[in-house]
Amino acid sequence: MHADEWFGDGEGDELLPDVAGLTPVRTLDDMRRRPAVREASTPVEALKRAFGYDAFRPLQGESVDAALAKRDCLVVLPTGGGKSLCYQIPAACGAGLVLVVSPLIALMDDQVAAAREAGLTAVALHSNLGEAAKRTALQQLANGTLDLLYVSPERLVAGDLMGRLDNLALLAVDEAHCVSHWGHDFRPEYRQLRSIFDRFGAVPRMALTATATPQVQDDICVQLGLRTPLRLIGHVDRPNLIYRAVPRHSAAKQALEVIKRHPQEGGIVYAQTRKEVETLAGALVKAGVHAAAYHAGLPAEVRAKAQDDFVNERLDVVVATIAFGMGIDRSNVRYVVHANTPKSIEHYQQEAGRAGRDGLPADCVLLYGAADLMTHRRLATMDGPLSPDRERALDRQLREIGRYAVAPVCRHRLLTEHFGQPYPAPGSEARSEGCGSCDVCLGETKELPAEQAVVTAQKIISAAWRLEGRFGPGQCVDVLMGKATDKSERAGHDRLTVFGLLKDSGETAVRAWIDQLVVQGFLALREEGVYSFLVITDAGRALCRGEGAVRLGVVEERATRSERKTRTPSASAAAAAVGPADQGLFERLRTLRKLLAAKAGVPPYVVFHDSTLQAISAAKPTSMATLIGLKGIGERKAARYGAQVLAVVAGEEPEKAAVRAAQA
Ligand code: ADP
Ligand code: ZN
C-alpha cells in the first residue's frame, strides 16, 4: 500500500484531525520531524523526559532492556506494578513502532490517552474509532510516525493490518493470561496470535500479566511462541494496600465508616447480588455519599454513565457487583470495600487490587459472613451438580478465601503465600512486628491465646449441639448472649446451661467466632430452602473432647476509632499526606487538574497522579526548571500544563489559571 492512498491530497501543513477529543497540536510536518519525546535515548532518559519518573520500578528496566536487545520476555507484575511502561519506553526511546494487543476497548483508550499525555503518538484501532481518525492513524502508520498501535486480537487476526506493520520494534501482549485455559478470562482469539507473530520473524515479543500462577506462566510462553523467554516475575505483594478483614454486622454502616475516612476520594464497594447493590447504594446515597449503583441488570447507558463519571472524578463511589472493574484504570481509587466475601483469593486479589494503582496508600476492607460462602456454593451449583473435579476445586477455593477472611494471620503474608511466594519478599527488610498494614499486624484483630480459643470454641459448639441443628446461627448467638426473646422462651432455650455463657464477650465477637468455626470446619451450615441451620461436625465433636486445635480472632473496635482520630476530618487521605500547611494548595491543584482534564477530554489521573500533586504541593516550584524535576512531570506535561500549575502555586485561583494558554 502506498502512503499516498492514505494521505489523500491535503498533505502539508493542515492540522490533523482530532483523534479522541485531544486538541490537535501538531502538523504533519511537525510529525515528520519526529517529536522530541521519542528521540533516540537511553531508557532512563526516556523515562524521565516522557513520564517524569526518576527510576524504574522493579523489573521495568529489565523488560525494556530485553525488548531493545530483541529478546522475548514474560513480565508478571502485580496491578499497579507499571506494566505499560515496559513496552511504552522502547517506543519512547525511538526504537520504532510497538504493537500492543489488548482485550478491551476501555483499557486501550485509557492507555492511549496516557501515552499521548506523555507526548507519544498512539492510537487504538477499534470499531469505535471514527473514519477520519482511522485515516489519520493509517497515515501515521504509513509514514512511520506512530509510536504505539493498540489493537484487539480479533483485529490483528483479521489480517488487514499485516502489510502495514513495517518498522515493528516490539509485539506486546497485554493481559496475556487470556491465552491460557488455566487462568480466568480465557479468550480463544488469543490462541491465534502466535501464527500472526510468526510472520514477523525476529521481532521480539513481550507478554504481560498480573496473574502469577506458574502453570499459567508456562502456558503463556508456549501459546504465544515465546523463544527462550526471559521470565521476569515480580513479587505479588502490594505494600501500599492496607488490608482488613472484619466480621460484617451492618454492611452499609461499615462501608460508610471506610468512606468517611476518604472524603471526596474515589472508592468501590462490591456486593454479591444486584439486590444488595441496590440496597447498599440507596443507603449510602441517603447518608449523603456521592454514590451510584452498577450491575449487569441496569441499562447500558446507566452503567456507562456511572463508569464515565467515576473515571472522570465526577462520582466518588460505585457500588457494584463484580461486573464493574475490568477496564477501570483510575489510578487513585483510595479504597475497595467488599460487602461480602468474594469467590476466591484470586478474585479478591484482582478486585481489591483496583485500589492504589498510583502506589499511594489505599484501604481494602473485606466484610465477611459465613453465609456468603453458602451463597457462592449455591450460585455455582445452580445449573446442576458439579463434576467431582469442579466440586473439589470449589471446596478448596471457598476454604481458602474463608481462611483469609477469618484467620488471625497477617493478610499480606497469607495472600503472598497463596501465590507461592515468600513473605516478606527476599531482600526486603525483615519486619519483626509484621507488615504494619493489615488489621492483624496493626493490632486491630487479635488472636485469642490457644487455650482460651479452645474453651470458647467448646462453649459455642455445645450451644449449637443443644439447639439440635434446628436453629440458625442467629439463635445460637442469642442463646450465648442470654437474650430473653420470645423464641428462646418458647423453645425453652432460656433454661439451657449455655444460656448467657458468652455474655461478656459481646455479640459482634460471638457472631464472628461462629463464622470462624464454620470456616474451620467445626460447625457447618445446612441449607433447607431459604433457611440455614447450624449443625456440628465430626471435627467439632472431636474438639469438644479436647482433640485438635482451633484459632479464633477478635476485632478490637477501639483501634480503628483511635486511628481515625489522628486524621484531619475535613481533608482527604491524599491531601492529609502532604501535611496541614500544604493541604489547601493540594486541593486547589486538584481543582485545576479536573478543569484541565475536562478541557483535554481525558480522565484527571491521566493529567497528573495524586502523588504528583503531592510533590508539587510540598515543593511549591516557582520556575519551569524546578517543576520539571518533580515526580510525574516530563517535558511534555510541563509544556502543556506547567504555566497553569505555576500560576496556582503562585496563588492564582484554579478557575482563572485553567484558562491560561499552555506555554508554546
Ligand atoms: P499495571 O498495568 O501494571 O497495573 P500501570 O502501567 O497502569 O500498571 O502503572 C501504574 C501506575 O504507576 C501508572 O499510573 C504509572 O504512571 C505509574 N508508574 C509506572 N512506572 C512508574 C515508575 N517507574 N515510577 C513512578 N510511577 C510509575
Ligand atoms: Zn500484616
Side-chain angles (χ1 to χ4, degrees):
M1 175 85 36
H2 191 269
D4 281 349
E5 283 187 58
W6 299 107
F7 273 65
D9 47 17
E11 251 199 275
D13 265 341
E14 65 171 319
L15 278 179
L16 288 170
D18 177 75
V19 181
L22 289 177
T23 331
V25 282
R26 277 184 279 154
T27 63
L28 272 183
D29 276 351
D30 284 344
M31 295 187 29
R32 294 221 179 78
R33 271 180 245 123
R34 306 200 114 220
V37 275
R38 60 163 185 173
E39 267 163 14
S41 58
T42 68
V44 177
E45 281 164 9
L47 179 72
K48 182 72 196 159
R49 198 179 52 235
F51 296 94
Y53 298 137
D54 286 324
F56 278 119
R57 293 219 182 119
L59 305 183
Q60 281 180 327
E62 289 84 340
S63 58
V64 172
D65 288 346
L68 295 177
K70 300 198 182 308
R71 168 106 194 253
D72 289 356
C73 68
L74 168 68
V75 183
V76 181
L77 281 178
T79 309
K83 285 183 284 297
S84 0
L85 256 57
C86 299
Y87 50 82
Q88 290 179 347
I89 292 288
C93 292
L97 175 65
V98 173
L99 181 83
V100 187
V101 180
S102 174
L104 280 177
I105 292 180
L107 279 180
M108 292 188 214
D109 284 347
D110 238 34
Q111 293 237 346
V112 166
R116 286 183 186 171
E117 283 294 311
L120 295 168
T121 315
V123 75
L125 277 181
H126 54 60
S127 46
N128 293 2
L129 194 67
E131 271 310 308
K134 189 173 151 194
R135 261 198 313 279
T136 309
L138 292 171
Q139 274 173 16
Q140 294 172 333
L141 198 52
N143 62 17
T145 51
L146 198 60
D147 298 315
L148 286 158
L149 175 64
Y150 288 81
V151 291
S152 65
E154 293 82 354
R155 183 61 209 263
L156 191 60
V157 167
D160 61 313
L161 286 173
M162 293 307 289
R164 302 199 181 114
L165 301 173
D166 306 329
N167 190 29
L168 256 192
L170 177 66
L171 291 156
V173 182
D174 207 0
E175 312 288 344
H177 61 275
C178 292
V179 80
S180 172
H181 275 307
W182 303 112
H184 44 295
D185 311 325
F186 173 60
R187 291 272 295 253
E189 309 79 29
Y190 265 69
R191 288 283 168 108
Q192 295 170 40
L193 291 174
R194 179 181 185 161
S195 66
I196 304 272
F197 288 178
D198 284 346
R199 292 194 232 163
F200 290 102
V203 177
R205 305 172 191 180
M206 180 187 286
L208 306 104
T209 178
T211 303
T213 71
Q215 192 178 27
V216 175
Q217 289 168 24
D218 289 345
D219 211 22
I220 292 172
C221 292
V222 172
Q223 299 296 339
L224 292 176
L226 304 188
R227 298 148 296 190
T228 50
L230 185 62
R231 290 186 184 223
L232 300 167
I233 314 297
H235 200 254
V236 294
D237 185 47
R238 305 262 315 270
N240 63 315
L241 300 187
I242 302 150
Y243 292 111
R244 290 188 172 89
V246 293
R248 178 178 63 239
H249 46 85
S250 157
K253 223 172 106 197
Q254 288 170 287
L256 202 56
E257 268 180 29
V258 180
I259 294 168
K260 281 194 179 144
R261 289 207 294 264
H262 297 278
Q264 288 138 50
E265 293 187 312
I268 305 174
V269 178
Y270 283 112
Q272 209 163 12
T273 65
R274 295 175 188 183
K275 197 168 155 253
E276 283 166 319
V277 164
E278 301 274 350
T279 313
L280 253 177
L284 294 181
V285 169
K286 214 169 139 201
V289 177
H290 195 198
Y294 186 108
H295 59 69
L298 290 169
E301 318 85 71
V302 176
R303 269 182 290 152
K305 182 170 182 326
Q307 169 152 353
D308 198 56
D309 285 349
F310 183 70
V311 164
N312 289 295
E313 301 188 11
R314 292 187 298 265
L315 177 69
D316 292 338
V317 183
V318 176
V319 185
T321 55
I322 56 169
F324 183 75
M326 259 293 238
I328 301 295
D329 254 357
R330 179 167 171 175
S331 67
N332 58 355
V333 172
R334 292 270 72 87
Y335 56 92
V336 172
V337 176
H338 279 73
N340 305 91
T341 318
K343 237 190 202 159
S344 68
I345 289 195
E346 280 79 1
H347 282 87
Y348 188 61
Q349 173 93 347
Q350 195 175 35
E351 290 153 24
R354 296 192 175 115
R357 295 174 76 118
D358 54 12
L360 296 176
D363 284 314
C364 301
V365 180
L366 192 164
L367 307 175
Y368 70 81
D372 300 341
L373 303 182
M374 305 288 292
T375 309
H376 282 306
R377 187 178 296 282
R378 202 176 49 236
L379 293 175
T381 52
M382 221 160 45
D383 302 325
L386 303 174
S387 70
D389 269 0
R390 267 301 291 140
E391 180 85 47
R392 261 194 302 280
L394 180 71
D395 277 347
R396 195 185 31 147
Q397 263 177 19
L398 295 180
R399 201 170 46 242
E400 284 166 351
I401 187 66
R403 176 160 170 262
Y404 172 81
V406 307
V409 177
C410 172
R411 317 274 172 208
H412 279 274
R413 171 184 293 278
L414 214 143
L415 283 178
T416 306
E417 290 178 352
H418 175 84
F419 291 99
Q421 294 186 350
Y423 186 85
S428 69
E429 281 168 43
R431 299 164 224 155
S432 54
E433 72 293 3
C435 74
S437 48
C438 79
D439 56 326
V440 179
C441 298
L442 288 168
E444 298 169 12
T445 295
K446 290 225 163 68
E447 184 166 4
L448 291 188
E451 219 158 289
Q452 195 187 339
V454 172
V455 174
T456 307
Q458 286 171 341
K459 288 179 181 171
I460 295 169
I461 295 168
S462 57
W465 182 70
R466 281 172 212 282
L467 302 187
E468 300 173 323
R470 294 189 290 120
F471 294 86
Q475 180 62 13
C476 190
V477 173
D478 283 355
V479 167
L480 285 163
M481 291 303 296
K483 269 199 198 163
T485 63
D486 287 351
K487 201 173 183 178
S488 295
E489 279 174 30
R490 249 183 291 127
H493 290 169
D494 52 352
R495 293 189 299 275
L496 295 176
T497 49
V498 291
F499 194 72
L501 199 58
L502 289 177
K503 205 165 50 213
D504 298 337
S505 303
E507 184 169 333
T508 311
V510 174
R511 217 171 259 287
W513 286 331
I514 292 179
D515 279 350
Q516 294 175 29
L517 292 173
V518 170
V519 165
Q520 292 174 73
F522 298 110
L523 292 172
L525 292 173
R526 182 171 54 80
E527 272 195 290
E528 247 171 60
V530 293
Y531 298 103
S532 60
F533 300 97
L534 192 65
V535 295
I536 73 171
T537 62
D538 290 343
R541 264 181 277 276
L543 193 71
C544 287
R545 289 194 302 268
E547 296 159 22
V550 61
R551 301 180 76 163
L552 294 179
V554 269
V555 179
E556 291 252 322
E557 302 267 354
R558 251 162 291 129
T560 25
R561 253 177 246 141
S562 63
E563 175 226 34
R564 230 175 301 135
K565 246 186 267 158
T566 60
R567 293 217 173 118
T568 329
S570 61
S572 61
V578 298
D582 304 328
Q583 277 168 18
L585 178 55
F586 179 88
E587 293 300 347
R588 282 198 300 283
L589 288 168
R590 224 159 83 127
T591 308
L592 175 71
R593 171 175 72 176
K594 211 162 160 178
L595 296 167
L596 294 175
K599 218 158 104 182
V602 297
Y605 58 81
V606 167
V607 174
F608 291 123
H609 284 308
D610 286 3
S611 53
T612 302
L613 297 190
Q614 289 180 350
I616 301 171
S617 314
K620 301 185 190 55
T622 52
S623 71
M624 211 49 120
T626 41
L627 182 67
I628 289 181
L630 298 178
K631 179 185 176 196
I633 302 189
E635 282 172 10
R636 160 82 170 212
K637 288 224 166 139
R640 198 158 174 184
Y641 306 120
Q644 295 95 321
V645 169
L646 291 175
V648 169
V649 172
E652 192 167 57
E653 283 311 308
E655 291 76 9
K656 270 205 187 145
V659 296
R660 268 171 185 270
Q663 290 212 332

